[in-house]
Amino acid sequence: MELAERMKVYQSFIARLESGQRRVDVVELVKLGEVLGFDPTEIVDRLTKMSD
């Protein structure tokens, strides 16, 4: 519940992300980075390297 509150979204939204029923879009990734304290560009860089 705390993550949902911090992101200002419904808990059901977080549950769908956690269960893989929904993918994270770029705007949500940036917000997750702000809330959880990580740099979203690092995630994108890692994903780009995985596809090479």
Side-chain angles (χ1 to χ4, degrees):
M1 184 83 164
E2 182 180 335
L3 179 57
E5 289 174 2
R6 291 174 65 190
M7 288 191 64
K8 298 182 176 139
V9 296
Y10 292 109
Q11 180 58 38
S12 60
F13 171 83
I14 301 299
R16 287 192 305 274
L17 290 179
E18 291 174 335
S19 68
Q21 295 175 347
R22 189 180 187 296
R23 294 183 183 201
V24 178
D25 70 25
V26 174
V27 173
E28 295 158 352
L29 181 62
V30 170
K31 185 65 176 175
L32 281 166
E34 291 172 1
V35 169
L36 297 176
F38 67 85
D39 182 357
T41 59
E42 290 180 16
I43 302 294
V44 174
D45 288 343
R46 288 183 190 178
L47 290 172
T48 301
K49 289 176 184 173
M50 287 175 58
S51 65
D52 289 341

